[in-house]
Amino acid sequence: MNEDLVSRERIVAVDGVELWAEEFGGPGHPVVLLVMGARAQGVQWNDGIVRRLVEGGRRVIRYDHRDTGRSSVVDFAVRPYTVADLASDALAVLDAFGVERAHLVGASLGGIIAQRVAVTDPLRVLTLTSLSSQPLGTDTAALVRRALEGAPPGPGELPPPSAELLAALAATLPDPGAGLEGHLALRLPLWRVLHGSVLPFDEEEYRAMERRVYERARDLTAGFNHTLAGAAGGDDTAALASVTAPTLVLHGTEDPMFPPAHGEATAARIPGARLVMIEGLGHTLPTALDARLAEEILRHTGDREDAV
């Protein structure tokens, strides 16, 4: 077995919580930190993407946010946190692995977290890749509220999640007592909507992912705290004008969570950002696109001054 593809796990202590993390790849290679989205575990960065990045000469780190996977479950009422805290978690993971500067790749909420790090700690960021995300500081809760009220977006506002997705989200509140099959029955319809209608939907692929998520989770309901953290706000979209890291914005043409205008707005607000629209991609990471996504990330991170 290629030793670079062997996982090296550790627990990172930060701010009174423990974060599960793992790394792959040679210690001398440039680091790519993969930051997952809301309620999502680090292992939802597909193994195929990780393998391709490692084979492309990258040291890859992925981790579970607080309130997901094997990381600590937080009593949000007692210890509320914000996106700023989740960004501090990302930096703590880099510190734990002895990484001074890294290529940040964030999906969905992870893209917002990565953007915030690029704003507040630019010396830690070699490059930024924002995937299936939206501009830092966007008030998504207000967009959703308007959509549920039947009101169109206000002047200059970005479009809300699709009506089909909002309905699917409302129907998938987790039932801790439902067991694995009940969990799958709730989650698979949501994944069908998130996946989009263009690319073929491989149900067994999503079943396998959700089995892994179910088996690793300390508390499947805890991730809903990420919605509360995101609603806390505190960031201004104008801050993106200060980003100096070379930036790639990857976005799907079929994204029902953050329609394409969100990716376009992110790229427009970051100086020099390059926008790449992925035809047919929804708001998931289907394995059929592992090669394409890894190729884009490798290309973006390959011509930079690398450091560890």
Side-chain angles (χ1 to χ4, degrees), residues 95-133:
D95 291 341
F97 284 95
V99 178
E100 181 179 349
R101 305 178 71 203
H103 301 281
L104 300 191
V105 181
S108 194
L109 174 64
I112 297 168
I113 293 168
Q115 290 171 39
R116 192 178 202 284
V117 174
V119 168
T120 61
D121 295 85
L123 296 182
R124 305 296 301 271
V125 184
L126 286 167
T127 66
L128 168 64
T129 300
S130 182
L131 167 63
S132 302
S133 192

Side-chain angles (χ1 to χ4, degrees), residues 186-266:
L186 282 172
R187 296 291 294 173
L188 288 175
L190 175 60
W191 283 118
R192 285 185 180 276
V193 177
L194 287 168
H195 179 86
S197 60
V198 172
L199 299 176
F201 181 79
D202 185 342
E203 181 173 315
E204 186 48 44
E205 174 184 328
Y206 287 95
R207 281 184 175 272
M209 179 188 68
E210 280 295 342
R211 288 190 197 102
R212 190 177 189 184
V213 165
Y214 183 89
E215 291 166 357
R216 296 181 76 256
R218 292 187 179 185
D219 183 347
L220 287 167
T221 66
F224 282 94
N225 288 337
H226 292 170
T227 302
L228 301 175
D235 290 305
D236 186 343
T237 57
L240 290 176
S242 70
V243 172
T244 56
T247 298
L248 170 66
V249 177
L250 296 174
H251 212 92
T253 60
E254 305 301 315
D255 193 328
M257 175 67 77
F258 301 135
H262 288 254
E264 294 165 357
T266 303

Side-chain angles (χ1 to χ4, degrees), residues 45-65:
W45 285 104
N46 297 338
D47 292 342
I49 291 177
V50 172
R51 176 175 56 79
R52 286 171 170 81
L53 293 178
V54 170
E55 291 174 345
R58 305 294 184 269
R59 177 184 170 197
V60 178
I61 299 172
R62 61 184 179 182
Y63 68 100
D64 290 339
H65 295 296

Side-chain angles (χ1 to χ4, degrees), residues 14-170:
V14 54
D15 191 28
V17 302
E18 293 184 335
L19 305 175
W20 173 90
E22 68 176 346
E23 67 170 340
F24 305 81
H29 294 166
V31 174
V32 173
L33 179 69
L34 299 176
V35 188
M36 210 359 110
R39 298 172 53 195
Q41 300 180 12
V43 296
Q44 289 177 260
W45 285 104
N46 297 338
D47 292 342
I49 291 177
V50 172
R51 176 175 56 79
R52 286 171 170 81
L53 293 178
V54 170
E55 291 174 345
R58 305 294 184 269
R59 177 184 170 197
V60 178
I61 299 172
R62 61 184 179 182
Y63 68 100
D64 290 339
H65 295 296
R66 58 178 75 187
D67 280 327
T68 66
R70 295 178 180 169
S71 292
S72 292
V73 174
V74 178
D75 185 339
F76 197 88
V78 175
R79 296 195 59 193
Y81 57 86
T82 66
V83 169
D85 296 307
L86 295 175
S88 294
D89 288 351
L91 291 173
V93 170
L94 292 180
D95 291 341
F97 284 95
V99 178
E100 181 179 349
R101 305 178 71 203
H103 301 281
L104 300 191
V105 181
S108 194
L109 174 64
I112 297 168
I113 293 168
Q115 290 171 39
R116 192 178 202 284
V117 174
V119 168
T120 61
D121 295 85
L123 296 182
R124 305 296 301 271
V125 184
L126 286 167
T127 66
L128 168 64
T129 300
S130 182
L131 167 63
S132 302
S133 192
Q134 62 179 167
L136 176 74
T138 302
D139 189 347
T140 306
L143 299 182
V144 170
R145 186 166 56 251
R146 284 180 180 237
L148 292 175
E149 293 171 350
E157 282 190 340
L158 293 169
S162 72
E164 183 183 14
L165 178 57
L166 291 176
L169 287 168

